[in-house]
Amino acid sequence: MLLEWWSCTECTLFTDQATVDRFGKEHVVIILNHNFEIDFLCGWTMCERFGVLGSSKVLAKRELLYVPLIGWTWYFLEIVFCKRKWEEDRDTVIGGLERLSDYPEYMWFLLYCEGTRFTEKKHRVSMEVAISKGLPVLKYHLLPRTKGFTTAVQCLRGTVAAVYDVTLNFRGNKNPSLLGILYGKKYEADMCVRRFPLEEIPLDEKEAAQWLHKLYQEKDALQEMYNQKGVFPGQQFKPRRRPWTLLNFVCWATVLLSPLFSCVLGVFASGSPLLILTFLGFVGAASFGVRRLIGVTEIEKGSSYGNQEFKKKE
């Protein structure tokens, strides 16, 4: 609701009509670049507009499980959590993916193959590893982690019909933030979507990993084109926002805020110092929880994962 109706951020797709016609009508794995603080919001709004928000899944870092509201909700939505250490994650990730293999509704499963958000420091370390392994240097992405991708494809083969490669950027060279969305700032997001039938991805793990590295070289070329021309290749589509997120917000705001305001008036009208201090403590705790949620999205406050981990063998 905040993205679509409060900030009125626009999301434009660059793809072909045949791909758009399949949106929301097949199980897919989505690969998205991880450069921006609100990239996940842009993904969510596309899920909502094509009717798969409730069945959208993601391979997420385990730290998010402890984020107020979001982490608790994701736990009950069968989100697959990982510690980003394959030796510890193997059984958990495979088990989570196998549970999704017979998911009854059309599912979009998101992978951030880079493993962490892009920063200059992480990029420098990542490219040192790429050079040491004889892989092409990427300008706009980190070296992709192949284990999660190859495992997801292997476990979901027979369920998933295709891989959607999504390359995201913002017009005007803007670097949007969740705080900006809360302040009502409007951004213009462009998303280049390419569909790859799962049959095109090799069965062999090493060949599938090579396929992913080649994909990221193509993503890098797309970002270079965008920086030069301001657009991605392909036909432009602007899926219409649906009213359900706004109606949902208005409904819950009406149900919850009316008694909340009555409660606040009652607290201060009581004149009880203890009651007022308790209420202010609750407000402070709620503000802390919201600020922590926002902090998870901020690049400068992101984890140190990737600064040194790239130097270890994947």
Side-chain angles (χ1 to χ4, degrees), residues 54-71:
S55 57
S56 62
K57 311 297 177 186
V58 62
L59 181 61
K61 59 184 179 181
R62 190 167 181 82
E63 292 94 320
L64 293 175
L65 180 61
Y66 307 106
V67 175
L69 299 181
I70 294 296

Side-chain angles (χ1 to χ4, degrees), residues 8-29:
C8 295
T9 291
E10 296 182 356
C11 294
T12 302
L13 300 179
F14 291 76
T15 185
D16 57 82
Q17 186 64 56
T19 298
V20 172
D21 290 341
R22 293 177 179 269
F23 286 168
K25 300 176 182 177
E26 59 182 353
H27 296 291
V28 298
V29 170

Side-chain angles (χ1 to χ4, degrees), residues 35-227:
N35 300 68
F36 304 99
E37 293 184 9
I38 66 167
D39 46 33
F40 70 98
L41 272 183
C42 295
W44 279 355
T45 192
M46 286 298 107
C47 289
E48 206 296 308
R49 296 183 190 193
F50 290 101
V52 293
L53 180 59
S55 57
S56 62
K57 311 297 177 186
V58 62
L59 181 61
K61 59 184 179 181
R62 190 167 181 82
E63 292 94 320
L64 293 175
L65 180 61
Y66 307 106
V67 175
L69 299 181
I70 294 296
W72 309 334
T73 302
W74 280 11
Y75 175 80
F76 291 106
L77 289 177
E78 299 179 279
I79 299 300
V80 181
F81 292 98
C82 65
K83 297 179 180 178
R84 298 184 290 190
K85 296 179 180 179
W86 182 243
E87 294 76 12
E88 300 179 27
D89 288 331
R90 183 191 304 272
D91 294 339
T92 302
V93 171
I94 291 177
L97 291 170
E98 289 178 345
R99 286 193 294 272
L100 297 177
S101 61
D102 59 350
Y103 201 78
E105 299 176 340
Y106 290 123
M107 169 189 65
W108 285 9
F109 186 80
L110 172 63
L111 287 175
Y112 288 116
C113 292
E114 294 163 271
T116 186
R117 276 198 176 90
F118 183 101
T119 67
E120 290 299 330
K121 182 178 180 180
K122 293 176 182 178
H123 179 254
R124 184 175 63 255
V125 175
S126 176
M127 291 307 99
E128 290 175 0
V129 174
I131 293 172
S132 69
K133 292 185 175 182
L135 296 170
V137 172
L138 302 175
K139 185 176 180 181
Y140 302 101
H141 300 85
L142 306 179
L143 190 68
R145 308 283 182 126
T146 60
K147 281 291 185 183
F149 172 75
T150 57
T151 302
V153 169
Q154 181 181 5
C155 291
L156 296 177
R157 196 176 288 272
T159 299
V160 165
V163 170
Y164 292 172
D165 170 52
V166 182
T167 305
L168 169 69
N169 212 323
F170 288 85
R171 297 182 191 179
N173 198 31
K174 291 185 178 180
N175 192 11
S177 66
L178 186 55
L179 277 177
I181 295 294
L182 292 175
Y183 292 151
K185 292 183 180 179
K186 180 178 180 179
Y187 302 106
E188 294 177 293
D190 289 333
M191 309 171 78
C192 179
V193 183
R194 300 183 296 162
R195 182 183 184 275
F196 298 91
L198 205 66
E199 295 78 16
E200 294 183 5
I201 301 174
L203 291 170
D204 180 75
E205 182 178 351
K206 290 185 178 180
E207 292 180 0
Q210 292 173 357
W211 184 92
L212 183 65
H213 284 300
K214 182 175 181 295
L215 182 77
Y216 267 79
Q217 294 167 33
E218 295 172 358
K219 289 172 75 69
D220 225 48
L222 287 170
Q223 291 285 29
E224 182 67 28
M225 178 185 298
Y226 188 88
N227 286 339

